[in-house]
Amino acid sequence: MKKFKFYLTWMGLMMALVVMAKPAGEGTKESPFLLATADDMSWFRTYVYDTDAKACAKLTADIDLSSVGTWMGIGTETRPYQGVFDGDSHRIKGVNMNFANVNQDNVGLFGCARYAVVKNLSVSGTAVVGLVSGGSIASGVSLLMGRGEGVTVSHVSVSGNIAGSGRYVGGVVGLLTHSPVIATSDEKNRSSIADCVSYASVTGLDFVGGIAGDAYYAMPTLERCANRGQVH
């Protein structure tokens, strides 16, 4: 009986290790992590936060995140994502970011990013942020990226429902901002959004847009983008 219990414990541990195993690749631009499952995405998010905010990744298959539960974005305000993420023309669906009872800032597949590159990706899901009585107004809500500084986003499409009870709510990016210690004329600090389209329904309190909620003096470039969804 003890041997059987030990076997079950060992099997459970091995299964956990397999589920959270490191994907193929080294996380560099030349050899990005190759992501193919929801577990790979969760692993990558943790790796960015705990180990390397500049880690690079590439999708090798469409991914469904509906099994993950509430998705917490890749990158935070104190540790923004700074790598290259290539969707390789794949789709991430089932992105559930339901914070209806929480004042959650920087909501998106990527929570906060700085000098990051995100390209060739389709994202679908829900991003809902509520206003809690007595709380502050949440800001930075979208399906792709809650907040970006000096980011490059290209060939991205989003679809689904985005509803923020606060400000800076957009289809692709909630808020584009800049570092207060860097002049806004610095090219590296300027964000670029190109060849993107939003089919999402976007609702917010203030600073609401189909592609981006607001640029906040970031002087971004916006090229060949289109909004096909409703903005309220």
Side-chain angles (χ1 to χ4, degrees):
M1 188 63 169
K2 288 184 178 180
K3 181 181 292 186
F4 181 67
K5 287 184 178 179
F6 174 78
Y7 176 76
L8 289 179
T9 302
W10 180 83
M11 283 296 294
L13 177 60
M14 290 304 295
M15 288 177 66
L17 289 174
V18 170
V19 168
M20 296 303 291
K22 172 183 172 294
E26 300 302 321
T28 64
K29 290 181 180 180
E30 297 76 16
S31 178
F33 290 125
L34 302 179
L35 312 181
T37 67
D39 289 325
D40 288 344
M41 286 292 295
S42 295
W43 180 92
F44 182 70
R45 175 185 56 190
T46 301
Y47 184 85
V48 167
Y49 185 79
D50 290 342
T51 306
D52 185 6
K54 295 183 179 181
C56 300
K58 181 178 181 179
L59 297 189
T60 60
D62 293 345
I63 295 177
D64 186 351
L65 289 182
S66 58
S67 62
V68 175
T70 302
W71 177 261
M72 301 298 292
I74 299 170
T76 65
E77 195 162 350
T78 57
R79 192 171 178 81
Y81 178 60
Q82 302 177 54
V84 176
F85 190 96
D86 185 359
D88 198 30
S89 299
H90 288 293
R91 178 188 180 193
I92 297 178
K93 67 177 183 178
V95 185
N96 175 26
M97 297 171 287
N98 188 346
F99 301 98
N101 298 313
V102 181
N103 288 343
Q104 180 71 29
D105 291 333
N106 308 319
V107 173
L109 180 68
F110 295 87
C112 279
R114 178 180 297 157
Y115 310 141
V117 175
V118 180
K119 59 185 179 180
N120 308 324
L121 179 64
S122 175
V123 180
S124 63
T126 302
V128 178
V129 179
L131 179 62
V132 178
S133 178
S136 60
I137 297 177
S139 66
V141 181
S142 80
L143 278 171
L144 180 73
M145 187 180 296
R147 177 173 178 161
E149 177 190 331
V151 296
T152 300
V153 179
S154 63
H155 296 95
V156 168
S157 68
V158 297
S159 61
N161 180 46
I162 305 167
S165 60
R167 57 174 66 97
Y168 311 132
V169 184
V172 178
V173 181
L175 173 63
L176 292 169
T177 185
H178 67 88
S179 171
V181 298
I182 302 177
T184 55
S185 60
D186 189 326
E187 290 297 325
K188 182 182 178 182
N189 203 43
R190 294 180 63 182
S191 293
S192 171
I193 302 180
D195 302 296
C196 293
V197 59
S198 173
Y199 300 97
S201 171
V202 183
T203 304
L205 177 66
D206 202 4
F207 299 101
V208 184
I211 300 298
D214 192 40
Y216 203 65
Y217 305 111
M219 294 171 35
T221 58
L222 186 67
E223 301 176 301
R224 299 178 301 280
C225 294
N227 175 59
R228 307 296 187 194
Q230 294 185 335
V231 178
H232 307 279

